[in-house]
Structure formats: C-alpha cells, structure tokens
Amino acid sequence: DTGVSQDPRHKITKRGQNVTFRCDPISEHNRLYWYRQTLGQGPEFLTYFQNEAQLEKSRLLSDRFSAERPKGSFSTLEIQRTEQGDSAMYLCASNSNRQGQFFGPGTRLTVL
Amino acid sequence: AQRVTQPEKLLSVFKGAPVELKCNYSYSGSPELFWYVQYSRQRLQLLLRHISRESIKGFTADLNKGETSFHLKKPFAQEEDSAMYYCALGEGSNYKLTFGKGTLLTVNP
C-alpha cells in the first residue's frame, strides 16, 4: 500500500459533460474526505465519509456533485453538467481516528 | 465561523537564517491545528500536529490559545525546506480541515 491513490490524475472535458473521479484510501482508514483546491487557495472541504456513510457535505457541493463510498473502501466523486467554474484540483484524503489526514495526488479537472 | 489566516503569501530567506511562518485561527471550540507541506510536484504531506508537540525536519509549532496562533518555526532554514506550507484547523468529531491559503517559502543559497 503506497498511500492514497486517485484516478485519473488529469481530466479535460467540455462544458456540460459528466465526469467521475475515483479515490482509493489507505486500506485500514475508515474516514475519507474530498476537497477542492483552486489556484492560490488552500484546499476546501467538500464531503466526508465514515466507512460507507456520507456524514457531512459542504455548501460548496451543489446538486450537480455526488459522492459515494459503496463498500466503505474506494470512493467516487461525480460532477454532472460540468461548468468552467468546476475547474480545480480535486483532492482525496483518508485517516482513522484522530490522525492527521493523508492526501492523494489529486485529480486536476479542466473544463473547456 | 472557523477561519485560518496565513498573512504571508510569499516568504524568502537565506539558507541558515531563522524562519517563521505565521498562522492565526478563529474557532469557537477546542482547536486541533496542523501544518501541511507541499514540495514541488508532490502531494500534500502532514508536517506537524499540535497535539504531538514534536519536531519534524527541525520545524516546531506551538499553539498559543491566547493569541489564537500556531506559527511554524525553524532556527536554521535549509534549501530543501523550499515549499508551500499550509496551516489547517481540524473541526469537530469528523476532523474536517479548514486550510489557510498557504505561504510559499523560498530558501535561497
């Protein structure tokens, strides 16, 4: 296990298309987080899972965004009808209990 | 609302000089503070947790609740310390993180 992995690393799409990103957390971690980072900003929290339960969603997560963690292992983040404002780095992180979070390399989304 | 402020976007020092990266926070509860570092072309990595009270790569940070600060310090900067540094506040039972905007540290030879 080499840490949190994310796929794809880069995604270019046209406005209006749907995209899906995948995150594989560190295997023994029960908590999984999604963040979004735009240029010049720190990461911003989007949503959080404990095992398979989605326990919190940010107001940043509009109705076009949906996240799942079906078996409490990997997670997917889907964006429907993408807009140019969705262009950002999408980061996944995981941890257990009261640890600091371990981040993946991110998926960079560009919406044309 | 919870907030993390890193007042310096850029900080440049010479090798061997002391460095201090500032972080202030606002939070009504009992905060958990972290420093994360991102080296060029690498992922975000945890550097320090205030709970651990440890020194990593020569860096230390002390939580000052009176001043609501968690400044990161190193007495003698090295060129390999050049990176983006983010201060983060952990909230509530889910420990979601609120990040500052980051400080880009450059250590010149």
Side-chain angles (χ1 to χ4, degrees):
Chain A
D1 191 338
T2 57
V4 178
S5 61
Q6 292 187 245
D7 184 70
R9 296 291 303 276
H10 303 273
K11 179 70 177 178
I12 299 174
T13 192
K14 292 183 179 179
R15 187 161 50 95
Q17 297 295 304
N18 299 344
V19 294
T20 300
F21 310 141
R22 177 180 170 124
C23 170
D24 287 88
I26 293 172
S27 55
E28 62 267 28
H29 287 174
N30 61 344
R31 296 167 183 254
L32 186 147
Y33 307 78
W34 285 98
Y35 293 84
R36 181 171 69 187
Q37 186 175 21
T38 53
L39 198 61
Q41 304 293 319
E44 295 174 291
F45 171 78
L46 292 178
T47 190
Y48 150 71
F49 290 85
Q50 181 157 324
N51 299 312
E52 66 275 11
Q54 187 175 18
L55 296 184
E56 186 169 345
K57 293 194 289 187
S58 162
R59 287 175 295 175
L60 292 175
L61 215 64
S62 76
D63 291 345
R64 296 183 296 106
F65 287 70
S66 62
E68 295 182 341
R69 193 182 183 198
K71 295 182 180 179
S73 56
F74 72 92
S75 175
T76 58
L77 177 68
E78 180 182 15
I79 309 174
Q80 295 183 324
R81 305 182 302 281
T82 52
E83 301 173 356
Q84 288 186 324
D86 297 332
S87 295
M89 178 74 88
Y90 290 84
L91 297 169
C92 177
S94 69
N95 70 352
S96 290
N97 302 317
R98 298 186 64 167
Q99 295 178 336
Q101 294 173 21
F102 293 83
F103 281 80
T107 294
R108 182 170 295 284
L109 173 66
T110 302
V111 182
L112 303 176
Chain B
Q2 55 278 358
R3 180 176 295 178
V4 176
T5 303
Q6 294 180 249
E8 304 135 329
K9 288 186 70 171
L10 303 170
L11 184 62
S12 182
V13 300
F14 286 103
K15 177 182 172 182
V19 62
E20 181 180 52
L21 291 90
K22 292 184 168 50
C23 172
N24 289 90
Y25 67 91
S26 63
Y27 183 55
S28 56
S30 184
E32 287 208 43
L33 275 299
F34 304 84
W35 277 99
Y36 280 82
V37 60
Q38 189 166 26
Y39 301 103
S40 179
R41 299 189 187 86
Q42 294 188 26
R43 67 182 66 189
L44 209 54
Q45 302 174 32
L46 177 63
L47 181 63
L48 283 179
R49 302 174 60 194
H50 92 269
I51 282 179
S52 303
R53 302 187 64 79
E54 57 196 346
S55 173
I56 304 292
K57 300 183 180 182
F59 284 97
T60 58
D62 290 319
L63 178 61
N64 185 324
K65 291 187 178 180
E67 296 183 358
T68 60
S69 68
F70 188 57
H71 303 327
L72 184 67
K73 300 177 184 179
K74 185 169 183 176
F76 306 105
Q78 303 299 313
E79 288 180 69
E80 55 265 30
D81 296 328
S82 295
M84 187 67 124
Y85 290 81
Y86 294 96
C87 182
L89 169 69
E91 308 169 41
S93 59
N94 64 18
Y95 308 112
K96 71 179 184 183
L97 297 174
T98 297
F99 284 85
K101 292 186 177 183
T103 298
L104 180 62
L105 173 65
T106 303
V107 181
N108 301 297

